Amino acid sequence: MQAIEALLRRYSARALQEPAPDEAALRLIFQSATRAPDHGRLRPWRFIVINSEERARFGEVLADHLRRTKGVASEEALERERRKAFRAPLIVVVAAILRPDGKIPEIEQILSAGAAAQNMLHAALALGFNAVWKTGGAAYDAQVKTELGLEPKDAIVGFLYMGTDVEGPGSLTRPDGQEFVRYWR
Ligand SMILES: Cc1cc2nc3c(=O)[nH]c(=O)nc-3n(C[C@H](O)[C@H](O)[C@H](O)COP(=O)(O)O)c2cc1C
């Protein structure tokens, strides 16, 4: 597939199942990630892999976040959080290890991690998989970051749910790029 065709076809699967990208595929996905633009060569990226066997533990982290932040959470709501970890056979947490006092603004370090995440979505698709970018309140929670091995100052830019799509692209209408273009005169 031509690169431009791949860019024009990217979509998020509605549901993901096995197989997840294997070690060889993940290597290529992470290699693609590190092609992200990176002001100051800070290499702010961190990719935390949550394998199939670790999903239950990650689900507990999500449920615990809900319990802490919502005050009262029904068992049903907690179970819904736990199940989020099972939306795909593999999850990659994409984070930026932030250097707050350098000359590169934090926003640029976060944008670089976001660009890495986008490269990963495309790499996953190019290799025959699919990946879906999610966040939610847990991504911005200091304790969740700590439990994932990050520091509260760092930024989680996304939870990338990876696996295989069985349904194909849905009916989401795609805007024409020209709609967003303004020529400055
Ligand atoms: C930073 C970021 C965070 C997102 N978080 C969520 C999320 O928590 N839940 C969700 O349903 N979609 C989330 N999305 C949107 C989906 O990843 C997806 O792009 C959207 O459903 C549109 O589908 P498409 O990728 O096929 O265009 C997020 C996207 C970005 C860029």
Side-chain angles (χ1 to χ4, degrees):
M1 194 189 290
Q2 294 288 319
I4 188 65
E5 203 183 328
L7 288 168
L8 292 171
R9 281 189 183 187
R10 190 207 62 82
Y11 70 97
S12 299
R14 278 165 44 83
L16 291 164
Q17 60 180 43
E18 297 275 1
D22 57 17
E23 280 301 314
L26 280 176
R27 281 186 80 87
L28 291 170
I29 288 169
F30 295 135
Q31 202 57 38
S32 308
T34 62
R35 282 285 174 150
D38 170 24
H39 192 179
R41 294 197 176 84
L42 294 182
R43 312 314 195 219
W45 324 293
R46 194 66 85 248
F47 313 120
I48 301 155
V49 180
I50 300 174
N51 279 318
S52 167
E53 316 81 66
E54 302 299 334
R55 287 178 300 171
R57 197 155 65 91
F58 180 58
E60 283 307 326
V61 170
L62 296 180
D64 180 59
H65 165 260
L66 185 74
R67 205 182 287 116
R68 281 186 292 105
T69 53
K70 282 279 179 288
V72 197
S74 65
E75 189 44 48
E76 198 188 354
L78 293 172
E79 192 49 32
R80 227 179 3 256
E81 284 304 293
R82 289 187 192 102
R83 276 204 307 271
K84 285 184 180 174
F86 290 86
R87 288 194 280 218
L90 183 111
I91 306 159
V92 177
V93 183
V94 181
I97 305 297
L98 294 180
R99 294 198 210 170
D101 42 12
K103 70 175 170 71
I104 310 298
E106 284 192 27
I107 181 67
E108 297 189 9
Q109 301 172 49
I110 293 169
L111 285 168
S112 179
Q118 178 72 354
N119 279 6
M120 291 165 77
L121 299 188
H122 279 293
L125 247 86
L127 292 165
F129 302 95
N130 196 283
V132 181
W133 188 336
K134 304 264 185 189
T135 48
Y140 308 104
D141 183 77
Q143 191 167 323
V144 170
K145 291 180 198 175
T146 306
E147 286 178 51
L148 289 168
L150 300 163
E151 292 182 35
K153 66 154 183 65
D154 298 329
I156 290 177
V157 301
F159 302 119
L160 303 192
Y161 287 81
M162 294 190 186
T164 299
D165 176 30
V166 280
E167 294 179 14
S171 54
L172 191 64
T173 49
R174 304 289 171 174
D176 185 326
Q178 285 302 118
E179 274 179 42
F180 307 96
V181 179
R182 304 289 180 272
Y183 290 93
W184 190 57
R185 294 194 168 99

PDB file of all heavy atoms in Angstrom, residues 121-155:
ATOM      1  N   LEU A 121      -0.053   4.357  15.528  1.00  0.00           N
ATOM      2  CA  LEU A 121      -1.344   3.949  14.947  1.00  0.00           C
ATOM      3  C   LEU A 121      -1.146   3.534  13.493  1.00  0.00           C
ATOM      4  O   LEU A 121      -1.667   2.511  13.043  1.00  0.00           O
ATOM      5  CB  LEU A 121      -2.367   5.099  15.002  1.00  0.00           C
ATOM      6  CG  LEU A 121      -2.794   5.683  16.346  1.00  0.00           C
ATOM      7  CD1 LEU A 121      -3.960   6.659  16.141  1.00  0.00           C
ATOM      8  CD2 LEU A 121      -3.196   4.616  17.334  1.00  0.00           C
ATOM      9  N   HIS A 122      -0.393   4.359  12.776  1.00  0.00           N
ATOM     10  CA  HIS A 122      -0.191   4.055  11.355  1.00  0.00           C
ATOM     11  C   HIS A 122       0.653   2.794  11.154  1.00  0.00           C
ATOM     12  O   HIS A 122       0.365   1.988  10.282  1.00  0.00           O
ATOM     13  CB  HIS A 122       0.457   5.246  10.645  1.00  0.00           C
ATOM     14  CG  HIS A 122      -0.543   6.303  10.289  1.00  0.00           C
ATOM     15  ND1 HIS A 122      -1.533   6.101   9.359  1.00  0.00           N
ATOM     16  CD2 HIS A 122      -0.735   7.543  10.758  1.00  0.00           C
ATOM     17  CE1 HIS A 122      -2.279   7.185   9.257  1.00  0.00           C
ATOM     18  NE2 HIS A 122      -1.828   8.070  10.104  1.00  0.00           N
ATOM     19  N   ALA A 123       1.678   2.647  11.994  1.00  0.00           N
ATOM     20  CA  ALA A 123       2.524   1.453  11.864  1.00  0.00           C
ATOM     21  C   ALA A 123       1.702   0.199  12.138  1.00  0.00           C
ATOM     22  O   ALA A 123       1.814  -0.809  11.429  1.00  0.00           O
ATOM     23  CB  ALA A 123       3.706   1.540  12.831  1.00  0.00           C
ATOM     24  N   ALA A 124       0.855   0.263  13.164  1.00  0.00           N
ATOM     25  CA  ALA A 124       0.027  -0.903  13.489  1.00  0.00           C
ATOM     26  C   ALA A 124      -0.859  -1.265  12.292  1.00  0.00           C
ATOM     27  O   ALA A 124      -0.967  -2.437  11.916  1.00  0.00           O
ATOM     28  CB  ALA A 124      -0.822  -0.618  14.731  1.00  0.00           C
ATOM     29  N   LEU A 125      -1.461  -0.252  11.677  1.00  0.00           N
ATOM     30  CA  LEU A 125      -2.318  -0.520  10.519  1.00  0.00           C
ATOM     31  C   LEU A 125      -1.528  -1.088   9.350  1.00  0.00           C
ATOM     32  O   LEU A 125      -1.976  -2.033   8.691  1.00  0.00           O
ATOM     33  CB  LEU A 125      -3.031   0.770  10.085  1.00  0.00           C
ATOM     34  CG  LEU A 125      -4.539   0.704  10.305  1.00  0.00           C
ATOM     35  CD1 LEU A 125      -4.868   1.136  11.725  1.00  0.00           C
ATOM     36  CD2 LEU A 125      -5.277   1.561   9.312  1.00  0.00           C
ATOM     37  N   ALA A 126      -0.357  -0.519   9.113  1.00  0.00           N
ATOM     38  CA  ALA A 126       0.472  -0.973   7.986  1.00  0.00           C
ATOM     39  C   ALA A 126       0.883  -2.436   8.160  1.00  0.00           C
ATOM     40  O   ALA A 126       1.123  -3.142   7.185  1.00  0.00           O
ATOM     41  CB  ALA A 126       1.713  -0.085   7.862  1.00  0.00           C
ATOM     42  N   LEU A 127       0.956  -2.879   9.420  1.00  0.00           N
ATOM     43  CA  LEU A 127       1.375  -4.264   9.693  1.00  0.00           C
ATOM     44  C   LEU A 127       0.181  -5.212   9.801  1.00  0.00           C
ATOM     45  O   LEU A 127       0.331  -6.364  10.206  1.00  0.00           O
ATOM     46  CB  LEU A 127       2.191  -4.289  10.997  1.00  0.00           C
ATOM     47  CG  LEU A 127       3.554  -3.585  10.902  1.00  0.00           C
ATOM     48  CD1 LEU A 127       4.128  -3.323  12.292  1.00  0.00           C
ATOM     49  CD2 LEU A 127       4.528  -4.412  10.064  1.00  0.00           C
ATOM     50  N   GLY A 128      -0.999  -4.705   9.483  1.00  0.00           N
ATOM     51  CA  GLY A 128      -2.190  -5.574   9.466  1.00  0.00           C
ATOM     52  C   GLY A 128      -2.959  -5.602  10.774  1.00  0.00           C
ATOM     53  O   GLY A 128      -3.874  -6.413  10.938  1.00  0.00           O
ATOM     54  N   PHE A 129      -2.594  -4.704  11.707  1.00  0.00           N
ATOM     55  CA  PHE A 129      -3.313  -4.630  12.982  1.00  0.00           C
ATOM     56  C   PHE A 129      -4.144  -3.349  12.997  1.00  0.00           C
ATOM     57  O   PHE A 129      -4.242  -2.655  11.994  1.00  0.00           O
ATOM     58  CB  PHE A 129      -2.314  -4.648  14.148  1.00  0.00           C
ATOM     59  CG  PHE A 129      -1.439  -5.866  14.152  1.00  0.00           C
ATOM     60  CD1 PHE A 129      -0.173  -5.847  13.571  1.00  0.00           C
ATOM     61  CD2 PHE A 129      -1.899  -7.053  14.708  1.00  0.00           C
ATOM     62  CE1 PHE A 129       0.624  -6.989  13.554  1.00  0.00           C
ATOM     63  CE2 PHE A 129      -1.101  -8.193  14.696  1.00  0.00           C
ATOM     64  CZ  PHE A 129       0.158  -8.149  14.118  1.00  0.00           C
ATOM     65  N   ASN A 130      -4.720  -3.072  14.146  1.00  0.00           N
ATOM     66  CA  ASN A 130      -5.397  -1.793  14.328  1.00  0.00           C
ATOM     67  C   ASN A 130      -5.058  -1.313  15.730  1.00  0.00           C
ATOM     68  O   ASN A 130      -4.673  -2.117  16.592  1.00  0.00           O
ATOM     69  CB  ASN A 130      -6.911  -1.925  14.136  1.00  0.00           C
ATOM     70  CG  ASN A 130      -7.578  -0.564  13.940  1.00  0.00           C
ATOM     71  OD1 ASN A 130      -7.773   0.180  14.893  1.00  0.00           O
ATOM     72  ND2 ASN A 130      -7.916  -0.236  12.696  1.00  0.00           N
ATOM     73  N   ALA A 131      -5.159  -0.015  15.930  1.00  0.00           N
ATOM     74  CA  ALA A 131      -4.858   0.552  17.250  1.00  0.00           C
ATOM     75  C   ALA A 131      -5.789   1.725  17.480  1.00  0.00           C
ATOM     76  O   ALA A 131      -6.093   2.484  16.546  1.00  0.00           O
ATOM     77  CB  ALA A 131      -3.410   1.002  17.302  1.00  0.00           C
ATOM     78  N   VAL A 132      -6.260   1.847  18.715  1.00  0.00           N
ATOM     79  CA  VAL A 132      -7.227   2.895  19.062  1.00  0.00           C
ATOM     80  C   VAL A 132      -6.678   3.718  20.228  1.00  0.00           C
ATOM     81  O   VAL A 132      -6.248   3.168  21.237  1.00  0.00           O
ATOM     82  CB  VAL A 132      -8.594   2.280  19.439  1.00  0.00           C
ATOM     83  CG1 VAL A 132      -9.596   3.364  19.770  1.00  0.00           C
ATOM     84  CG2 VAL A 132      -9.113   1.397  18.302  1.00  0.00           C
ATOM     85  N   TRP A 133      -6.729   5.022  20.056  1.00  0.00           N
ATOM     86  CA  TRP A 133      -6.162   5.968  21.019  1.00  0.00           C
ATOM     87  C   TRP A 133      -7.237   6.397  22.006  1.00  0.00           C
ATOM     88  O   TRP A 133      -8.256   6.974  21.604  1.00  0.00           O
ATOM     89  CB  TRP A 133      -5.656   7.172  20.242  1.00  0.00           C
ATOM     90  CG  TRP A 133      -4.861   8.196  20.969  1.00  0.00           C
ATOM     91  CD1 TRP A 133      -4.862   8.467  22.305  1.00  0.00           C
ATOM     92  CD2 TRP A 133      -3.937   9.125  20.371  1.00  0.00           C
ATOM     93  NE1 TRP A 133      -4.004   9.493  22.584  1.00  0.00           N
ATOM     94  CE2 TRP A 133      -3.424   9.917  21.421  1.00  0.00           C
ATOM     95  CE3 TRP A 133      -3.506   9.368  19.057  1.00  0.00           C
ATOM     96  CZ2 TRP A 133      -2.495  10.936  21.181  1.00  0.00           C
ATOM     97  CZ3 TRP A 133      -2.594  10.379  18.833  1.00  0.00           C
ATOM     98  CH2 TRP A 133      -2.089  11.142  19.883  1.00  0.00           C
ATOM     99  N   LYS A 134      -7.012   6.115  23.280  1.00  0.00           N
ATOM    100  CA  LYS A 134      -7.970   6.514  24.316  1.00  0.00           C
ATOM    101  C   LYS A 134      -7.222   7.250  25.425  1.00  0.00           C
ATOM    102  O   LYS A 134      -6.025   7.035  25.627  1.00  0.00           O
ATOM    103  CB  LYS A 134      -8.649   5.285  24.938  1.00  0.00           C
ATOM    104  CG  LYS A 134      -9.357   4.378  23.947  1.00  0.00           C
ATOM    105  CD  LYS A 134     -10.816   4.694  23.877  1.00  0.00           C
ATOM    106  CE  LYS A 134     -11.544   3.695  22.981  1.00  0.00           C
ATOM    107  NZ  LYS A 134     -12.912   4.096  22.715  1.00  0.00           N
ATOM    108  N   THR A 135      -7.975   8.050  26.160  1.00  0.00           N
ATOM    109  CA  THR A 135      -7.389   8.689  27.355  1.00  0.00           C
ATOM    110  C   THR A 135      -8.377   8.526  28.512  1.00  0.00           C
ATOM    111  O   THR A 135      -8.452   7.480  29.118  1.00  0.00           O
ATOM    112  CB  THR A 135      -7.071  10.183  27.108  1.00  0.00           C
ATOM    113  OG1 THR A 135      -8.193  10.796  26.503  1.00  0.00           O
ATOM    114  CG2 THR A 135      -5.824  10.365  26.287  1.00  0.00           C
ATOM    115  N   GLY A 136      -9.132   9.562  28.825  1.00  0.00           N
ATOM    116  CA  GLY A 136     -10.007   9.529  30.000  1.00  0.00           C
ATOM    117  C   GLY A 136      -9.257  10.062  31.208  1.00  0.00           C
ATOM    118  O   GLY A 136      -8.029  10.252  31.169  1.00  0.00           O
ATOM    119  N   GLY A 137     -10.008  10.282  32.297  1.00  0.00           N
ATOM    120  CA  GLY A 137      -9.440  10.907  33.495  1.00  0.00           C
ATOM    121  C   GLY A 137      -8.222  10.197  34.052  1.00  0.00           C
ATOM    122  O   GLY A 137      -7.313  10.835  34.593  1.00  0.00           O
ATOM    123  N   ALA A 138      -8.170   8.888  33.903  1.00  0.00           N
ATOM    124  CA  ALA A 138      -7.045   8.122  34.464  1.00  0.00           C
ATOM    125  C   ALA A 138      -5.709   8.574  33.866  1.00  0.00           C
ATOM    126  O   ALA A 138      -4.667   8.501  34.528  1.00  0.00           O
ATOM    127  CB  ALA A 138      -7.259   6.628  34.233  1.00  0.00           C
ATOM    128  N   ALA A 139      -5.749   9.038  32.621  1.00  0.00           N
ATOM    129  CA  ALA A 139      -4.499   9.440  31.957  1.00  0.00           C
ATOM    130  C   ALA A 139      -3.871  10.655  32.639  1.00  0.00           C
ATOM    131  O   ALA A 139      -2.667  10.891  32.496  1.00  0.00           O
ATOM    132  CB  ALA A 139      -4.766   9.744  30.485  1.00  0.00           C
ATOM    133  N   TYR A 140      -4.687  11.416  33.360  1.00  0.00           N
ATOM    134  CA  TYR A 140      -4.194  12.669  33.951  1.00  0.00           C
ATOM    135  C   TYR A 140      -4.039  12.575  35.465  1.00  0.00           C
ATOM    136  O   TYR A 140      -3.841  13.577  36.134  1.00  0.00           O
ATOM    137  CB  TYR A 140      -5.153  13.807  33.560  1.00  0.00           C
ATOM    138  CG  TYR A 140      -5.380  13.833  32.076  1.00  0.00           C
ATOM    139  CD1 TYR A 140      -6.577  13.358  31.517  1.00  0.00           C
ATOM    140  CD2 TYR A 140      -4.369  14.249  31.211  1.00  0.00           C
ATOM    141  CE1 TYR A 140      -6.764  13.323  30.145  1.00  0.00           C
ATOM    142  CE2 TYR A 140      -4.547  14.214  29.838  1.00  0.00           C
ATOM    143  CZ  TYR A 140      -5.745  13.756  29.305  1.00  0.00           C
ATOM    144  OH  TYR A 140      -5.909  13.718  27.955  1.00  0.00           O
ATOM    145  N   ASP A 141      -4.137  11.369  35.983  1.00  0.00           N
ATOM    146  CA  ASP A 141      -4.146  11.145  37.423  1.00  0.00           C
ATOM    147  C   ASP A 141      -2.742  10.781  37.924  1.00  0.00           C
ATOM    148  O   ASP A 141      -2.104   9.852  37.406  1.00  0.00           O
ATOM    149  CB  ASP A 141      -5.131  10.010  37.728  1.00  0.00           C
ATOM    150  CG  ASP A 141      -5.248   9.757  39.212  1.00  0.00           C
ATOM    151  OD1 ASP A 141      -5.925  10.549  39.892  1.00  0.00           O
ATOM    152  OD2 ASP A 141      -4.646   8.772  39.688  1.00  0.00           O
ATOM    153  N   ALA A 142      -2.289  11.514  38.958  1.00  0.00           N
ATOM    154  CA  ALA A 142      -0.922  11.326  39.461  1.00  0.00           C
ATOM    155  C   ALA A 142      -0.681   9.892  39.951  1.00  0.00           C
ATOM    156  O   ALA A 142       0.367   9.302  39.682  1.00  0.00           O
ATOM    157  CB  ALA A 142      -0.647  12.325  40.582  1.00  0.00           C
ATOM    158  N   GLN A 143      -1.680   9.332  40.640  1.00  0.00           N
ATOM    159  CA  GLN A 143      -1.467   7.972  41.181  1.00  0.00           C
ATOM    160  C   GLN A 143      -1.410   6.924  40.071  1.00  0.00           C
ATOM    161  O   GLN A 143      -0.619   5.978  40.120  1.00  0.00           O
ATOM    162  CB  GLN A 143      -2.567   7.637  42.189  1.00  0.00           C
ATOM    163  CG  GLN A 143      -2.235   6.376  42.956  1.00  0.00           C
ATOM    164  CD  GLN A 143      -3.126   6.200  44.160  1.00  0.00           C
ATOM    165  OE1 GLN A 143      -3.474   7.171  44.829  1.00  0.00           O
ATOM    166  NE2 GLN A 143      -3.521   4.964  44.437  1.00  0.00           N
ATOM    167  N   VAL A 144      -2.238   7.106  39.065  1.00  0.00           N
ATOM    168  CA  VAL A 144      -2.196   6.173  37.927  1.00  0.00           C
ATOM    169  C   VAL A 144      -0.815   6.237  37.275  1.00  0.00           C
ATOM    170  O   VAL A 144      -0.209   5.204  36.965  1.00  0.00           O
ATOM    171  CB  VAL A 144      -3.316   6.498  36.902  1.00  0.00           C
ATOM    172  CG1 VAL A 144      -3.131   5.698  35.624  1.00  0.00           C
ATOM    173  CG2 VAL A 144      -4.688   6.234  37.514  1.00  0.00           C
ATOM    174  N   LYS A 145      -0.320   7.461  37.106  1.00  0.00           N
ATOM    175  CA  LYS A 145       1.016   7.609  36.496  1.00  0.00           C
ATOM    176  C   LYS A 145       2.058   6.870  37.328  1.00  0.00           C
ATOM    177  O   LYS A 145       2.902   6.141  36.793  1.00  0.00           O
ATOM    178  CB  LYS A 145       1.391   9.093  36.400  1.00  0.00           C
ATOM    179  CG  LYS A 145       0.569   9.870  35.395  1.00  0.00           C
ATOM    180  CD  LYS A 145       1.024  11.319  35.391  1.00  0.00           C
ATOM    181  CE  LYS A 145       0.002  12.234  34.770  1.00  0.00           C
ATOM    182  NZ  LYS A 145       0.379  13.642  34.867  1.00  0.00           N
ATOM    183  N   THR A 146       1.989   7.049  38.645  1.00  0.00           N
ATOM    184  CA  THR A 146       2.969   6.398  39.528  1.00  0.00           C
ATOM    185  C   THR A 146       2.864   4.883  39.402  1.00  0.00           C
ATOM    186  O   THR A 146       3.881   4.181  39.313  1.00  0.00           O
ATOM    187  CB  THR A 146       2.721   6.840  40.989  1.00  0.00           C
ATOM    188  OG1 THR A 146       2.736   8.267  41.018  1.00  0.00           O
ATOM    189  CG2 THR A 146       3.796   6.313  41.920  1.00  0.00           C
ATOM    190  N   GLU A 147       1.626   4.385  39.362  1.00  0.00           N
ATOM    191  CA  GLU A 147       1.465   2.929  39.272  1.00  0.00           C
ATOM    192  C   GLU A 147       1.988   2.383  37.948  1.00  0.00           C
ATOM    193  O   GLU A 147       2.346   1.211  37.852  1.00  0.00           O
ATOM    194  CB  GLU A 147       0.008   2.562  39.502  1.00  0.00           C
ATOM    195  CG  GLU A 147      -0.345   2.716  40.989  1.00  0.00           C
ATOM    196  CD  GLU A 147      -1.791   2.413  41.290  1.00  0.00           C
ATOM    197  OE1 GLU A 147      -2.249   1.356  40.883  1.00  0.00           O
ATOM    198  OE2 GLU A 147      -2.434   3.246  41.929  1.00  0.00           O
ATOM    199  N   LEU A 148       2.037   3.236  36.944  1.00  0.00           N
ATOM    200  CA  LEU A 148       2.571   2.805  35.650  1.00  0.00           C
ATOM    201  C   LEU A 148       4.077   3.044  35.545  1.00  0.00           C
ATOM    202  O   LEU A 148       4.676   2.849  34.494  1.00  0.00           O
ATOM    203  CB  LEU A 148       1.838   3.531  34.520  1.00  0.00           C
ATOM    204  CG  LEU A 148       0.385   3.072  34.309  1.00  0.00           C
ATOM    205  CD1 LEU A 148      -0.356   4.024  33.380  1.00  0.00           C
ATOM    206  CD2 LEU A 148       0.337   1.645  33.764  1.00  0.00           C
ATOM    207  N   GLY A 149       4.682   3.492  36.627  1.00  0.00           N
ATOM    208  CA  GLY A 149       6.131   3.685  36.642  1.00  0.00           C
ATOM    209  C   GLY A 149       6.571   5.059  36.189  1.00  0.00           C
ATOM    210  O   GLY A 149       7.759   5.280  35.926  1.00  0.00           O
ATOM    211  N   LEU A 150       5.608   5.985  36.084  1.00  0.00           N
ATOM    212  CA  LEU A 150       5.948   7.354  35.679  1.00  0.00           C
ATOM    213  C   LEU A 150       5.967   8.245  36.906  1.00  0.00           C
ATOM    214  O   LEU A 150       5.606   7.812  38.004  1.00  0.00           O
ATOM    215  CB  LEU A 150       4.897   7.865  34.682  1.00  0.00           C
ATOM    216  CG  LEU A 150       4.771   7.053  33.396  1.00  0.00           C
ATOM    217  CD1 LEU A 150       3.465   7.376  32.690  1.00  0.00           C
ATOM    218  CD2 LEU A 150       5.963   7.345  32.476  1.00  0.00           C
ATOM    219  N   GLU A 151       6.319   9.504  36.697  1.00  0.00           N
ATOM    220  CA  GLU A 151       6.245  10.472  37.787  1.00  0.00           C
ATOM    221  C   GLU A 151       5.035  11.369  37.542  1.00  0.00           C
ATOM    222  O   GLU A 151       4.651  11.581  36.379  1.00  0.00           O
ATOM    223  CB  GLU A 151       7.520  11.303  37.836  1.00  0.00           C
ATOM    224  CG  GLU A 151       8.734  10.486  38.250  1.00  0.00           C
ATOM    225  CD  GLU A 151       9.983  11.359  38.325  1.00  0.00           C
ATOM    226  OE1 GLU A 151       9.864  12.543  38.711  1.00  0.00           O
ATOM    227  OE2 GLU A 151      11.057  10.834  37.991  1.00  0.00           O
ATOM    228  N   PRO A 152       4.467  11.921  38.612  1.00  0.00           N
ATOM    229  CA  PRO A 152       3.306  12.793  38.440  1.00  0.00           C
ATOM    230  C   PRO A 152       3.532  13.951  37.472  1.00  0.00           C
ATOM    231  O   PRO A 152       2.620  14.398  36.791  1.00  0.00           O
ATOM    232  CB  PRO A 152       3.026  13.306  39.862  1.00  0.00           C
ATOM    233  CG  PRO A 152       3.536  12.208  40.746  1.00  0.00           C
ATOM    234  CD  PRO A 152       4.755  11.674  40.046  1.00  0.00           C
ATOM    235  N   LYS A 153       4.772  14.430  37.366  1.00  0.00           N
ATOM    236  CA  LYS A 153       5.064  15.553  36.441  1.00  0.00           C
ATOM    237  C   LYS A 153       4.991  15.119  34.972  1.00  0.00           C
ATOM    238  O   LYS A 153       4.911  15.952  34.077  1.00  0.00           O
ATOM    239  CB  LYS A 153       6.448  16.130  36.736  1.00  0.00           C
ATOM    240  CG  LYS A 153       7.549  15.134  36.422  1.00  0.00           C
ATOM    241  CD  LYS A 153       8.877  15.779  36.082  1.00  0.00           C
ATOM    242  CE  LYS A 153       9.930  14.749  35.693  1.00  0.00           C
ATOM    243  NZ  LYS A 153       9.671  14.009  34.466  1.00  0.00           N
ATOM    244  N   ASP A 154       5.087  13.797  34.716  1.00  0.00           N
ATOM    245  CA  ASP A 154       5.092  13.316  33.337  1.00  0.00           C
ATOM    246  C   ASP A 154       3.671  13.356  32.754  1.00  0.00           C
ATOM    247  O   ASP A 154       2.698  13.525  33.481  1.00  0.00           O
ATOM    248  CB  ASP A 154       5.653  11.888  33.272  1.00  0.00           C
ATOM    249  CG  ASP A 154       7.104  11.843  33.765  1.00  0.00           C
ATOM    250  OD1 ASP A 154       7.820  12.846  33.584  1.00  0.00           O
ATOM    251  OD2 ASP A 154       7.504  10.804  34.332  1.00  0.00           O
ATOM    252  N   ALA A 155       3.587  13.184  31.449  1.00  0.00           N
ATOM    253  CA  ALA A 155       2.275  13.259  30.795  1.00  0.00           C
ATOM    254  C   ALA A 155       1.975  11.949  30.074  1.00  0.00           C
ATOM    255  O   ALA A 155       2.803  11.473  29.286  1.00  0.00           O
ATOM    256  CB  ALA A 155       2.263  14.412  29.799  1.00  0.00           C
TER     257      ALA A 155
END
